[in-house]
Amino acid sequence: MLTWSEFAGEAPEMAAAGRRLLYQFGIGLGYLATVRGDGAPRLHPFCPIFWADGLYGLILPESPKCGDLARDGRYAIHACNPQDRDDEFVVSGVARLAGERVAAVRAAFLTSPGATSTGTETCFEFLIDRALHAAYKPRSEGNTWPPAYTRWRAGG
């Protein structure tokens, strides 16, 4: 499992495309998939945060996603699609508590337009094992299939 900056060092173009998709609305925005206690997947809207060398999230303690990550750190983060094309970006791996960094991550998050914080969130760092980027032609060009896929996995 690698930090965001380690992943970006190995796959810089993919990391740049993923960051653009995750921050296309000014604030980080995507979907976070976690694993429920019964093993089923759970999907949540999510505001990813890039800070220092990592990818983080501030999650309310009463949120189901906080309990899921604390119990079983497996996750996937999927960016929202742009309005003019169907580009996709997803990373997956294991989240870990990043408690000592919570104040700095919160401060970085609050610089984004529209960002709010209760000050009580649990901070997780998302370590990356796999990534996928699918780049499509603009919808205005007609047939957009197939996309150009780029895949990455830690350790090759």
Side-chain angles (χ1 to χ4, degrees):
M1 301 285 165
L2 301 181
T3 65
W4 179 268
S5 66
E6 292 168 332
F7 159 64
E10 291 192 11
E13 290 179 15
M14 180 185 244
R19 188 176 180 129
R20 276 192 308 276
L21 285 169
L22 287 167
Y23 271 74
Q24 66 184 303
F25 300 107
I27 193 169
L29 192 58
Y31 293 95
L32 172 66
T34 59
V35 181
R36 295 184 342 188
D38 64 3
R42 189 186 326 247
L43 190 63
H44 321 261
F46 176 66
C47 294
I49 304 161
F50 291 99
W51 178 77
D53 64 344
L55 176 59
Y56 295 88
L58 295 170
I59 301 174
L60 291 169
E62 60 273 12
S63 168
K65 60 188 160 216
C66 187
D68 290 349
L69 291 172
R71 186 191 66 264
D72 180 337
R74 292 178 293 164
Y75 78 90
I77 296 171
H78 196 291
C80 296
N81 300 79
Q83 292 183 2
D84 67 334
R85 60 184 66 220
D86 295 318
D87 287 7
E88 299 175 63
F89 178 74
V90 63
V91 291
S92 60
V94 175
R96 66 180 175 189
L97 289 171
E100 72 283 354
R101 295 181 164 194
V102 67
V105 171
R106 183 176 292 112
F109 176 63
L110 290 174
T111 65
S112 297
T116 61
S117 170
T118 64
T120 63
E121 298 93 351
T122 301
C123 186
F124 289 92
E125 180 177 15
F126 296 90
L127 300 176
I128 300 166
D129 180 50
R130 296 172 189 239
L132 173 89
H133 178 238
Y136 290 78
K137 294 181 280 187
R139 289 188 204 105
S140 62
E141 293 183 17
N143 184 3
T144 63
W145 190 260
Y149 286 107
T150 306
R151 293 175 175 84
W152 174 88
R153 184 168 183 170

